[in-house]
């Protein structure tokens, strides 16, 4: 019984810790989560497209996370990848881009490439972003 409770506690703690890394961004950053094959052409094109405007990403407080089904990268353990996939990609789609707002809600999901300008336009149309732009404009003027 003790072993079961210890295993359950460890699982809950690791789940909470792993998901907390995304929740730590709430009210600070917008997230783009990309579920893909690490070497897939759609993923590589998506990343090239996003990286082409690092100033635009920074201005909109965007952080990008890539979640691969299998990866040699040490950022996430296999169990963490599984937990993230269960929460954000429950259908286990082979390619998925999620835009998560500063409030933590999913704002958009695409199962193919998501052009950077389309992401920026969507974010720029959001009330929170509009308020940010007004504050920034007042600060400059």
């Amino acid at each position: 019984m003790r072993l079961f409770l210890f295993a359950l506690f460890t699982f809950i703690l690791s789940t909470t810790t792993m998901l907390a890394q995304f929740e730590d961004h709430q009210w600070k950053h917008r997230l783009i989560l990309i579920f893909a094959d690490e070497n897939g052409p759609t993923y590589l094109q998506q990343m090239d497209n996003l990286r082409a405007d690092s100033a635009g990403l920074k201005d909109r407080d965007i952080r990008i996370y890539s979640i691969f089904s299998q990866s040699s990268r040490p950022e996430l353990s296999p169990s963490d990848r599984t937990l993230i996939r269960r929460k954000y990609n429950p259908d286990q789609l082979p390619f998925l881009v999620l835009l998560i707002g500063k409030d933590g809600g999913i704002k958009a999901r695409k199962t193919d490439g998501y052009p950077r300008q389309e992401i920026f336009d969507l974010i720029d149309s959001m009330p929170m972003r509009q308020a940010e732009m007004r504050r920034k404009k007042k600060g400059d003027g």
Side-chain angles (χ1 to χ4, degrees), residues 43-101:
Y43 171 73
L44 296 173
Q45 285 178 323
Q46 181 70 67
M47 290 307 295
D48 285 345
N49 181 270
L50 290 170
R51 289 182 186 137
D53 189 353
S54 59
L57 294 171
K58 183 178 179 183
D59 185 48
R60 291 167 182 83
D61 301 320
I62 295 173
R63 300 294 184 270
I64 301 169
Y65 287 91
S66 300
I67 297 95
F68 307 117
S69 55
Q70 295 183 0
S71 177
S72 57
R73 295 183 186 184
E75 295 95 16
L76 295 173
S77 70
S79 61
D80 285 351
R81 284 193 307 270
T82 299
L83 292 169
I84 292 168
R85 283 185 163 280
R86 280 189 195 143
K87 178 172 176 141
Y88 293 105
N89 186 9
D91 299 329
Q92 300 294 302
L93 299 170
F95 185 84
L96 175 66
V97 179
L98 292 179
L99 172 61
I100 299 177

Side-chain angles (χ1 to χ4, degrees), residues 23 25-31 59-62 99-105 107 126 128-129 132 135:
E23 292 165 0
H25 290 288
Q26 192 166 9
W27 305 115
K28 299 176 202 162
H29 305 111
R30 295 172 181 90
L31 302 180
D59 185 48
R60 291 167 182 83
D61 301 320
I62 295 173
L99 172 61
I100 299 177
K102 286 186 174 183
D103 63 358
K107 305 303 179 185
M126 295 176 181
M128 188 179 296
R129 172 67 178 152
E132 292 169 359
R135 279 193 303 274

